Amino acid sequence: MERQSTYTATATIDEQGILTGWSEGAQRLLGYDSPAVVGRPATVLLAAEVSAARRVLAGRERWNGTVPLRHRDGRRLELGVLAHRRTSATGVTDWLVVSAVTARSQPPRGEPLEEWTFLQSPFPLAIFDADLRLVRANRRMEHALALPEAAMRGLRLPHIAPGAASEEADRSMRLALESGRPQEATAGLGAEGSGTAVLTPLKDAGGRVRAVCLSTQAPGQDAVGPSQAADESSSRVGPAADQARAAQELGEVTVPRLADVMAVDLLDSPRDADEEPEQPGPVVLRRAALRAVPDGHGPAYGAGPGEAVVCPVDSPPAQCLAASRPLLYDTTDPVVAEWAAVDPGAAWLRASGTRSLLAAPLLAQGSALGVALFGRRPDRGPFGPEELRLAQEFTARAAAGIRQTRGFARARTTTMALQQSLLPHTLPDQAALEIATRYLPAAARAGVGGDWFDVIPLSGARVALVVGDVVGHGIRASATMGRLRTAVRTLADVDLPADELLTHLDDLVLRLAADEGSADPAADTAGGIGTTCLYAVYDPVSRRCTLARAGHPPPAVVTPDGAVRFLDVPAGPPLGLGGLPFEASETELPEGSLLALYTNGLFEAREHDIDEALDKMFAALGRPATTLDAVCDRVLTELLSHRPDDDIALLVARTRVLHEDRVAAWQLADDPTDVSRARRLACDQLSVWGLDEAVFPTELMVSELVTNAMRYGRPPIRLRLIHQDSTLICEVYDSSGTTPHMRRARIFDEGGRGLLLVAQLADRWGTRHDRVGKTVWAEQSLAGAAG
């Protein structure tokens, strides 16, 4: 059969739902030529209820998903489409609908390390093939465009994000393909992808260009760690943008009041004003602002904002920084004339006709941040003592602002690095739940908060899910988050019930508050008082989920029939209030149920009514999706209209079940002679499971654990085996609350070696206490043991 080529089908629909445009690709896809459909209602092509389509598009600016359409020959086609609502300069609004049809298979993935690097890059990345159609997009690019890779695959950039910037980037990609050289373009790919796009041709071993990689970085964007969690993505106002604004404000104040033209060049890293360089040489600065009186001169020439400026050691900027005081020059001086002739960063001097030059260092708290250069033309007269005083005053204020923005940026970068190091980098291996997560830090001005999530494997194939929200922002909140997350993992490791775990966490917050409050009485959020937390434990054997929450929003659940509701979990007080009880609730979840845990930033990010936000979240959760990542992206797309003012953590989990064929349980008599029966039952069950190579260690563990239960515990005594993928779990329950301990056995002792033997045979072992009694468990790996 002839292989189908890749093409794009496009159509335009006006606000009344009438088709106004129909491409050759659309004709090829659905069989209708343009005269047959243009001018007719678009609904004639739908193989679904018309009112449903109208509800889906109501109030949206963009939509992507699967649409049932009717081919001309009567066939029903399920097509993935992307629809953009456009408004022209004259106010006319219509919809651009695009769909990529491709027979190309998924591009091959690279080695694991290369794949992780691509997916977890802190910058948005996308790969376009030789036809300029998208074939790969990493998580940050998906977040930047608020679209999953599957919705973009096969489309060209102007169809993914219509606009002049995308058209320019598309042309630059074509140039990169043809020339084999990297190109730059302005990117308009949403909040995170706005800024400069770097277009890198990707060549095969023979040097032939096969694709183009588009990477973007918002102005001043600082890199962040994985998550991706998160995880991975969101935009923020970085230090370069803030510094540039402070430099531009200096130009607005001084031109034309003080000078006809001015430039601000900054050091990448501040240095002490009296610091002597180890090896005298050129000074490397970075252009932050260039401003002139509005007559067409100056800023059109020389280095632009963000470009490097290399100043020779005897140039005015270098001399000014070395002297740490303002200096006056005449541009006819040989030192200035030579500098202006060879340095592109000084081209504005010649272009503007500057005759008098004033170089003033930007000094703040003993540090040199850069230099401000002011120029005057001959018709205005040279700078004098009064202008020198004004320049010092203006530059001192500007330097203070630049230093403040740099300090803020450093603090934010430190906080982000701390927070990213404390959040889980990868989700642990477990078979009880399918999980996807997202973490979005707050907008730069708000500061990074202390939201966190965690997934903790427990004994008996169970899994704990945690979502929490620490009050406040900044390093204090992130550090508190790390302490609480560590505490939760420690408490979960000893298998505390959900309500007891929150009680211990509440005590910890009180102690932290007392410690920090004594050192800083003004710290109203010391130790995390007011922190909220939700703790849930899911058991894939019983299908039951136990939950408790401390002032946290309740989780949402979607049952397999599509019904969406909140789980009825008693609210409980926020952590740190002390003396108030927490209450756990238990519910049974059918296989395939969807759990959504989140922090309240998800709703605070909207200006709309909370009921409307809840309706949108329920609708996003309830619609079918191929992956949980798509569910997360859909929820965030529906609820976020702009950068959030508070951190957002979102964890979505789909329940799995260990069916009866993977679990075996027996009631044992309180009789030492029944130990041999327990061993025989275990061996027979392993043979049924085809785990003959695991018989020997399992037989020994069963023997020791059952013997201990009969010797030191109380009836009833139960043995349970759980076969979970590549692990085998052996559990023995008795009604005694006494915790077993390993002890040192002397040479002639007849006992004392049982738990030591279990510890040597098992990968993990431990004890969990129930409301009545305890369970001693041991888990062993089945790598190479499965038959």
Side-chain angles (χ1 to χ4, degrees):
M1 184 175 65
E2 182 181 358
R3 187 184 182 194
Q4 186 183 27
S5 61
T6 299
Y7 62 93
T8 303
T10 64
T12 53
I13 306 170
D14 67 18
E15 282 287 80
Q16 287 70 46
I18 304 300
L19 281 159
T20 57
W22 191 253
S23 71
E24 291 182 4
Q27 177 179 345
R28 182 176 176 183
L29 179 63
L30 293 179
Y32 298 96
D33 59 12
S34 180
V37 292
V38 171
R40 299 184 63 191
T43 53
V44 301
L45 302 175
L46 288 176
E49 182 185 350
V50 174
S51 59
R54 289 173 177 163
R55 286 197 303 270
V56 166
L57 295 177
R60 296 172 180 263
E61 294 298 318
R62 186 179 67 185
W63 181 84
N64 72 282
T66 303
V67 175
L69 297 176
R70 190 72 64 188
H71 193 275
R72 185 178 182 181
D73 62 11
R75 287 181 291 126
R76 177 188 172 102
L77 301 177
E78 297 282 343
L79 298 177
V81 303
L82 178 59
H84 303 276
R85 190 171 186 266
R86 308 179 302 180
T87 302
S88 68
T90 59
V92 177
T93 301
D94 68 356
W95 285 86
L96 170 66
V97 183
V98 297
S99 179
V101 182
T102 177
R104 289 189 179 95
S105 59
Q106 185 80 358
R109 268 40 178 171
E111 295 296 323
L113 184 59
E114 298 168 354
E115 185 71 3
W116 299 336
T117 302
F118 178 84
L119 292 177
Q120 300 174 27
S121 168
F123 305 113
L125 299 174
I127 296 175
F128 293 81
D129 65 14
D131 295 326
L132 301 185
R133 297 180 183 277
L134 185 140
V135 292
R136 293 295 308 278
N138 72 349
R139 293 163 188 165
R140 297 282 290 198
M141 183 61 79
E142 288 180 318
H143 285 304
L145 294 167
L147 287 170
E149 179 187 281
M152 300 183 284
R153 193 177 301 128
L155 293 175
R156 296 182 65 166
L157 187 58
H159 287 147
I160 297 171
S166 293
E167 296 284 354
E168 177 191 349
D170 188 76
R171 289 191 294 270
S172 297
M173 277 196 284
R174 173 61 63 190
L175 185 58
L177 276 171
E178 295 172 350
S179 67
R181 294 190 299 272
Q183 306 292 324
E184 287 189 0
T186 300
L189 308 182
E192 184 170 340
S194 59
T196 300
V198 178
L199 309 166
T200 306
L202 304 179
K203 303 177 182 179
D204 59 19
R208 179 184 175 190
V209 179
R210 306 301 295 268
V212 175
C213 177
L214 182 151
S215 61
T216 70
Q217 182 177 4
Q221 183 182 23
D222 51 338
V224 298
S227 161
Q228 35 269 185
D231 235 295
E232 81 61 346
S233 81
S234 61
S235 66
R236 53 194 170 275
V237 179
D242 286 344
Q243 290 178 107
R245 184 58 198 151
Q248 291 163 7
E249 288 174 353
L250 176 60
E252 293 168 2
V253 171
T254 57
V255 176
R257 177 179 178 182
L258 177 66
D260 298 314
V261 62
M262 63 83 65
V264 176
D265 297 331
L266 300 178
L267 293 162
D268 285 335
S269 299
R271 70 185 189 195
D272 292 339
D274 56 356
E275 178 183 345
E276 290 289 341
E278 295 180 2
Q279 295 181 348
V283 176
V284 180
L285 301 162
R286 195 166 299 278
R287 179 65 40 88
L290 184 61
R291 184 178 178 86
V293 292
D295 61 356
H297 294 292
Y301 301 91
E307 294 186 28
V309 177
V310 181
C311 302
V313 67
D314 58 350
S315 65
Q319 291 181 347
C320 168
L321 287 172
S324 296
R325 60 183 178 85
L327 300 175
L328 291 174
Y329 298 89
D330 190 293
T331 54
T332 60
D333 291 346
V335 64
V336 179
E338 182 178 348
W339 168 57
V342 299
D343 187 355
W348 59 273
L349 287 173
R350 302 188 305 274
S352 63
T354 294
R355 179 65 179 271
S356 181
L357 176 67
L358 191 161
L362 295 167
L363 305 175
Q365 298 183 12
S367 295
L369 307 179
V371 62
L373 302 167
F374 304 94
R376 277 187 173 183
R377 300 191 184 104
D379 57 357
R380 190 167 180 183
F383 291 106
E386 178 61 21
E387 287 79 16
L388 200 66
R389 185 191 65 79
L390 283 175
Q392 286 181 301
E393 180 180 333
F394 290 140
T395 54
R397 292 177 182 175
I402 292 171
R403 182 180 177 86
Q404 183 178 15
T405 61
R406 280 185 165 176
F408 173 82
R410 284 195 300 271
R412 178 175 173 81
T413 301
T414 301
T415 304
M416 284 292 296
L418 173 63
Q419 186 181 58
Q420 295 295 334
S421 69
L422 295 173
L423 288 171
H425 289 212
T426 58
L427 297 179
D429 291 333
Q430 49 80 36
L433 297 165
E434 178 189 355
I435 295 174
T437 61
R438 292 290 185 272
Y439 184 85
L440 273 68
R445 294 291 181 186
V448 178
D451 293 19
W452 90 93
F453 62 86
D454 214 343
V455 179
I456 309 171
L458 302 177
S459 64
R462 298 167 305 134
V463 176
L465 304 177
V466 191
V467 173
D469 185 356
V470 175
V471 174
H473 296 85
I475 291 181
R476 180 191 292 272
S478 293
T480 301
M481 176 268 282
R483 299 166 87 171
L484 295 182
R485 177 175 177 254
T486 301
V488 170
R489 294 186 71 89
T490 302
L491 296 170
D493 194 50
V494 296
D495 261 316
L496 285 181
D499 51 345
E500 291 185 24
L501 183 143
L502 291 183
T503 300
H504 283 278
L505 205 60
D506 186 51
D507 294 339
L508 172 63
V509 171
L510 285 171
R511 291 197 298 272
L512 292 177
D515 292 343
E516 295 188 9
S518 61
D520 183 8
D524 55 353
T525 58
I529 290 179
T531 293
T532 66
C533 183
L534 172 65
Y535 184 79
V537 176
Y538 174 69
D539 186 345
V541 177
S542 66
R543 309 181 191 185
R544 303 196 69 80
C545 186
T546 304
L547 308 99
R549 60 188 179 112
H552 202 83
V557 63
V558 185
T559 52
D561 60 3
V564 188
R565 61 184 173 90
F566 282 127
L567 287 179
D568 185 15
V569 184
L575 299 174
L577 299 186
L580 298 174
F582 299 97
E583 185 178 349
S585 67
E586 189 175 74
T587 185
E588 184 170 334
L589 298 176
E591 183 175 7
S593 297
L594 201 70
L595 271 175
L597 286 63
Y598 51 89
T599 54
N600 58 9
L602 188 62
F603 298 121
E604 293 177 358
R606 293 185 60 89
E607 300 92 347
H608 297 286
D609 181 81
I610 183 65
D611 291 332
E612 179 187 352
L614 291 174
D615 289 342
K616 287 185 174 293
M617 184 182 77
F618 275 23
L621 290 172
R623 293 203 301 275
T626 54
T627 66
L628 293 189
D629 284 319
V631 174
C632 290
D633 293 335
R634 179 190 297 158
V635 170
L636 296 177
T637 300
E638 290 289 343
L639 292 175
L640 299 185
S641 56
H642 55 74
R643 284 291 311 286
D645 295 326
D646 193 7
D647 288 17
I648 295 175
L650 174 64
L651 187 155
V652 176
R654 180 176 285 122
T655 61
R656 296 168 174 156
V657 170
L658 283 175
H659 296 281
E660 294 179 357
D661 62 340
R662 290 298 188 101
V663 182
W666 304 275
Q667 187 87 18
L668 302 177
D670 187 19
D671 185 342
T673 60
D674 217 25
V675 175
S676 61
R677 172 174 169 261
R679 289 197 299 266
R680 185 176 65 257
L681 291 170
C683 293
D684 291 345
Q685 186 60 53
L686 293 186
S687 295
V688 172
W689 284 337
L691 303 177
D692 295 329
E693 294 185 21
V695 167
F696 177 71
T698 304
E699 188 177 14
L700 289 176
M701 286 191 285
V702 167
S703 181
E704 296 299 338
L705 294 179
V706 172
T707 299
N708 273 355
M710 292 180 177
R711 181 175 297 175
Y712 305 110
R714 291 198 302 264
I717 298 172
R718 293 189 290 269
L719 168 65
R720 185 169 74 162
L721 297 179
I722 301 174
H723 179 201
Q724 182 188 24
D725 292 342
S726 60
T727 60
L728 178 68
I729 302 169
C730 174
E731 298 182 339
V732 175
Y733 168 85
D734 74 84
S735 60
S736 169
T738 304
T739 301
H741 296 283
M742 283 193 296
R743 64 185 178 89
R744 183 184 299 276
R746 291 182 290 272
I747 295 176
F748 298 107
D749 286 352
E750 295 183 1
R753 298 180 177 84
L755 288 180
L756 179 61
L757 179 62
V758 171
Q760 295 299 314
L761 294 172
D763 294 308
R764 298 193 308 148
W765 78 278
T767 304
R768 69 172 181 270
H769 290 268
D770 301 316
R771 298 296 181 186
V772 176
K774 67 178 182 297
T775 298
V776 184
W777 57 272
E779 181 179 305
Q780 58 178 308
S781 172
L782 295 177

